[in-house]
Amino acid sequence: AYETPALDTIATGEFAGPILGGTVTNLLASLGTPYAFDPPNGYILFFEEVGERPYRLDRMLLQLRQSGLLSRAGAIVIGELPKCDEPGGLITARATMARALSDFPGPVVFGFPSGHTTGPQFTIPFGVRARVVGDARAPRVIIEEPAVQ
């Protein structure tokens, strides 16, 4: 098992399940195709993006919600979302995520360094069991099983 560096908690709680996801524009573009993102109930959604303005991120979360994909998730791990704040920084991607996910029943953590990042990154082995700990003092994502045996 390995743990990530410091994250920011948007919603507290703890949840374990398979972690799946990716760049959200690609996940949403797959819907309605034979290759549609179709996670099981009780999964952890990894949500990341680059260069999308907050209003677009809000729309993407709305589409995930309306498609039923968000209700299948027990936890959400959000990437760093580089270049996703409004120019001037008055509206941030993090604040948009917190508002749009304010009613999400499980833990939500922000700033996971995977996918599009601003520095060193972690590789997420999709499909393995992970644990999200949305703790106010020490939020973390723990990969609980190896990707290969």
Side-chain angles (χ1 to χ4, degrees):
Y2 66 89
E3 295 189 30
T4 58
L7 300 171
D8 183 21
T9 298
I10 289 178
T12 61
E14 187 168 334
F15 182 83
I19 189 165
L20 300 162
T23 306
V24 73
T25 51
N26 290 335
L27 299 179
L28 294 174
S30 76
L31 300 182
T33 75
Y35 311 101
F37 181 59
D38 188 22
N41 285 325
Y43 79 109
I44 297 169
L45 172 62
F46 172 66
F47 177 107
E48 72 98 18
E49 195 52 74
V50 64
E52 293 289 348
R53 292 173 69 182
Y55 76 90
R56 290 182 181 183
L57 295 172
D58 184 72
R59 177 190 48 78
M60 292 175 199
L61 281 173
L62 178 62
Q63 188 174 358
L64 284 171
R65 187 180 304 272
Q66 291 178 338
S67 71
L69 293 172
L70 202 58
S71 66
R72 293 186 201 175
I76 301 174
V77 176
I78 303 169
E80 293 178 349
L81 303 181
K83 301 179 185 175
C84 289
D85 294 344
E86 278 295 318
L90 287 174
I91 301 173
T92 66
R94 191 234 179 260
T96 299
M97 296 292 98
R99 184 184 44 73
L101 295 168
S102 64
D103 63 345
F104 186 77
V108 179
V109 296
F110 181 87
F112 191 89
S114 188
H116 297 94
T117 65
T118 57
Q121 66 177 277
F122 279 77
T123 299
I124 297 175
F126 287 143
V128 303
R129 184 176 170 84
R131 180 172 304 279
V132 177
V133 181
D135 181 275
R137 292 168 305 186
R140 58 204 178 278
V141 175
I142 303 163
I143 304 300
E144 294 187 330
E145 69 179 344
V148 295
Q149 300 288 348

